[in-house]
Coordinates of all heavy atoms in Angstrom, one line a residue:
K1612 N 22.7 12.4 2.6 CA 23.2 12.4 1.2 C 22.2 11.7 0.3 O 22.0 12.0 -0.9 CB 24.5 11.6 1.3 CG 25.5 12.1 0.1 CD 26.9 11.5 0.4 CE 26.9 10.1 -0.3 NZ 28.0 9.3 0.0
D1613 N 21.5 10.7 0.9 CA 20.5 10.0 0.1 C 19.2 10.7 0.0 O 18.2 10.2 -0.6 CB 20.2 8.6 0.8 CG 21.4 7.7 0.7 OD1 22.3 7.9 0.0 OD2 21.4 6.7 1.5
G1614 N 19.1 11.9 0.6 CA 17.9 12.8 0.4 C 17.0 13.0 1.5 O 16.0 13.6 1.4
H1615 N 17.4 12.4 2.8 CA 16.5 12.6 3.9 C 17.3 13.1 5.1 O 17.6 12.3 6.0 CB 15.8 11.3 4.2 CG 14.5 11.5 4.9 ND1 14.4 11.8 6.2 CD2 13.2 11.4 4.5 CE1 13.2 12.0 6.6 NE2 12.5 11.7 5.5
P1616 N 17.6 14.4 5.2 CA 18.4 14.9 6.4 C 17.7 14.6 7.7 O 18.4 14.4 8.8 CB 18.5 16.4 6.1 CG 18.0 16.6 4.8 CD 17.2 15.4 4.3
Q1617 N 16.4 14.7 7.7 CA 15.6 14.5 8.9 C 15.7 13.1 9.5 O 15.4 12.1 8.8 CB 14.1 14.9 8.7 CG 13.3 15.2 9.9 CD 13.9 16.4 10.7 OE1 14.5 17.3 10.2 NE2 13.7 16.3 12.0
P1618 N 16.1 12.8 10.7 CA 16.1 11.5 11.3 C 14.7 10.9 11.4 O 13.8 11.7 11.5 CB 16.8 11.6 12.7 CG 17.3 13.0 12.7 CD 16.6 13.8 11.7
F1619 N 14.6 9.7 11.5 CA 13.2 9.0 11.7 C 13.2 8.6 13.2 O 14.1 8.2 13.8 CB 13.1 7.8 10.9 CG 13.1 8.1 9.3 CD1 14.3 8.1 8.6 CD2 11.9 8.3 8.7 CE1 14.2 8.4 7.2 CE2 11.8 8.5 7.3 CZ 13.0 8.6 6.6
A1620 N 12.0 8.7 13.7 CA 11.8 8.2 15.1 C 11.7 6.7 15.0 O 11.1 6.1 14.1 CB 10.5 8.8 15.7
L1621 N 12.4 6.0 16.0 CA 12.4 4.6 16.1 C 12.3 4.1 17.5 O 13.0 4.6 18.4 CB 13.7 4.1 15.5 CG 13.9 2.5 15.4 CD1 13.0 1.9 14.4 CD2 15.4 2.2 15.1
K1622 N 11.4 3.2 17.8 CA 11.2 2.7 19.1 C 11.4 1.2 19.1 O 11.9 0.7 20.1 CB 9.7 3.1 19.6 CG 9.5 2.6 21.0 CD 8.3 3.2 21.6 CE 8.0 2.7 23.1 NZ 6.6 2.9 23.4
Y1623 N 11.0 0.5 18.1 CA 11.1 -1.0 18.2 C 12.1 -1.6 17.1 O 12.1 -1.2 16.0 CB 9.7 -1.6 17.8 CG 8.7 -1.3 18.9 CD1 7.8 -0.3 18.8 CD2 8.7 -2.0 20.2 CE1 6.9 0.1 19.8 CE2 7.7 -1.7 21.1 CZ 6.9 -0.7 20.9 OH 5.9 -0.4 21.9
V1624 N 12.9 -2.4 17.6 CA 13.9 -3.1 16.8 C 13.7 -4.6 17.1 O 13.8 -5.1 18.2 CB 15.4 -2.7 17.1 CG1 16.3 -3.5 16.3 CG2 15.5 -1.1 16.7
E1625 N 13.5 -5.4 16.0 CA 13.3 -6.8 16.1 C 14.7 -7.5 15.8 O 15.3 -7.2 14.7 CB 12.2 -7.2 15.2 CG 12.0 -8.8 15.2 CD 10.6 -9.1 14.9 OE1 9.9 -8.4 14.2 OE2 10.2 -10.3 15.2
I1626 N 15.1 -8.5 16.6 CA 16.3 -9.2 16.4 C 16.1 -10.5 15.7 O 15.7 -11.5 16.4 CB 17.0 -9.4 17.8 CG1 17.1 -8.1 18.6 CG2 18.4 -10.0 17.6 CD1 17.7 -6.9 18.0
G1627 N 16.2 -10.5 14.4 CA 16.0 -11.7 13.6 C 14.6 -11.9 13.1 O 13.7 -11.0 13.2
N1628 N 14.3 -13.2 12.8 CA 13.0 -13.6 12.4 C 12.8 -15.1 12.7 O 13.7 -15.9 12.4 CB 12.7 -13.3 11.0 CG 11.4 -13.9 10.5 OD1 10.4 -13.5 11.0 ND2 11.3 -14.8 9.6
E1629 N 11.8 -15.5 13.4 CA 11.4 -16.9 13.6 C 12.7 -17.7 14.1 O 13.0 -18.8 13.4 CB 10.8 -17.5 12.4 CG 9.4 -16.9 12.2 CD 8.6 -17.6 11.1 OE1 9.1 -18.4 10.3 OE2 7.3 -17.4 11.1

Side-chain angles (χ1 to χ4, degrees):
K1612 211 169 86 194
D1613 294 342
H1615 204 289
Q1617 197 61 31
F1619 295 88
L1621 180 69
K1622 183 169 175 194
Y1623 293 99
V1624 174
E1625 178 154 21
I1626 311 301
N1628 176 59
E1629 293 191 340

